Amino acid sequence: MTPARSAVFAAAAVLLMAAAPAMPDYVTNAVNDTTRPKEDRDADATRLPAETLAFSGVKPGMTVGELYPCGGYFSRMIADVVGPTGKVYGLETTRWKDCAPADEKVAATVKNFTVKAEDFGAFTLTEPVDVFWITQNYHDLHIKEYGTVDMLAFNKHVFASLKPGGVYFILDHEAPAGTSEDAIAKLHRIEKAQLIREVEAAGFKLAAEGDFLHRAGDDHTLPIFDKAIRGKTDQYALKFVKP
């Protein structure tokens, strides 16, 4: 390589380094909070909570609605990020019997986190929120065993629950193209293209996509609970905005 080409590559590397945003302190501090349960901290290596929180755009002072926190893996960290002037509403379902009690234990120690359990696919917010958050549970709304959910109505309800300019953040497991409803129930995955179509039909605009949980080794054919792939699935993160 000539000296001139070396200089070009070096300059490009500097630009790339400069373009990479630093992780906000409020995210780092939330992830590093030693009061988090050990089992949660052990899961960080595969769930990448710092990247997830930073991508979502959650910031101090915000109000967040979190659908199906079920034990509060993200709830504690979101509550840490939004701080004492922010709020986190846990929107749980009575369908999964263990989830609401687990969330109530979190609420007992995290002052700015509250939880309410309702029928599957239903939720109530007492005020507009800055962020509506769903991680690894959007596909569940398509599973008839849990309940029948009108997805257009659900996403319009999310739209109405957000402040103007608010963010609808969804992270889920990628599925093969053309995955049927029956296959969604079997695999616990949903195709990214289908999710985008559904959410945009409710009036949202796709603002950004995060690939920090993209895993090329997952061919999308195994259920997410299969031992061969559990914790190592190919996942996408999508940030939609209410215009």
Side-chain angles (χ1 to χ4, degrees), residues 12-235:
V14 169
L15 286 173
L16 286 172
M17 290 174 64
M23 191 65 67
D25 287 344
Y26 50 79
V27 168
T28 302
N29 293 338
V31 175
N32 291 339
D33 186 345
T34 57
T35 66
R36 294 176 58 217
K38 182 180 184 301
E39 63 184 29
D40 284 6
R41 289 182 278 121
D42 289 345
D44 291 350
T46 55
R47 298 198 68 173
L48 303 186
E51 290 83 352
T52 303
L53 288 160
F55 175 79
S56 74
V58 173
K59 293 180 173 64
M62 282 187 168
T63 301
V64 178
E66 182 189 8
L67 192 77
Y68 304 159
C70 201
Y73 174 80
F74 273 113
S75 308
R76 293 178 177 86
M77 292 183 282
I78 298 171
D80 264 355
V81 168
V82 302
T85 61
K87 300 176 186 176
V88 183
Y89 293 103
L91 309 173
E92 197 51 84
T93 174
T94 55
R95 179 64 178 77
W96 298 326
K97 300 301 182 184
D98 295 337
C99 286
D103 295 337
E104 287 165 2
K105 289 182 180 179
V106 178
T109 58
V110 180
K111 293 182 179 179
N112 56 348
F113 173 73
T114 59
V115 63
K116 181 179 181 181
E118 299 185 48
D119 292 340
F120 189 77
F123 67 88
T124 303
L125 284 163
T126 57
E127 63 179 308
V129 296
D130 297 289
V131 177
F132 195 95
W133 175 293
I134 309 179
T135 45
Q136 300 182 340
N137 286 124
Y138 185 94
H139 70 268
D140 288 316
L141 297 169
H142 280 264
I143 299 177
K144 298 298 187 289
E145 177 188 350
Y146 300 150
T148 300
V149 180
D150 181 330
M151 292 308 302
L152 179 58
F154 176 87
N155 286 321
K156 284 185 174 181
H157 185 22
V158 175
F159 189 94
S161 300
L162 281 163
K163 299 175 183 178
V167 168
Y168 188 8
F169 170 67
I170 307 174
L171 185 153
D172 219 314
H173 310 272
E174 182 64 286
T179 299
S180 67
E181 293 291 287
D182 287 344
I184 290 173
K186 177 182 177 182
L187 298 173
H188 283 260
R189 300 171 178 265
I190 186 167
E191 185 186 357
K192 176 174 65 178
Q194 177 182 350
L195 192 156
I196 292 172
R197 287 194 302 270
E198 291 179 358
V199 173
E200 289 191 330
F204 288 98
K205 301 298 182 184
L206 180 62
E209 177 178 351
D211 64 355
F212 46 88
L213 284 170
H214 172 59
R215 291 165 176 137
D218 175 16
D219 67 4
H220 312 148
T221 62
L222 293 175
I224 65 168
F225 303 114
D226 190 292
K227 291 181 180 179
I229 200 66
R230 188 164 190 172
K232 299 175 287 185
T233 57
D234 182 24
Q235 299 170 54

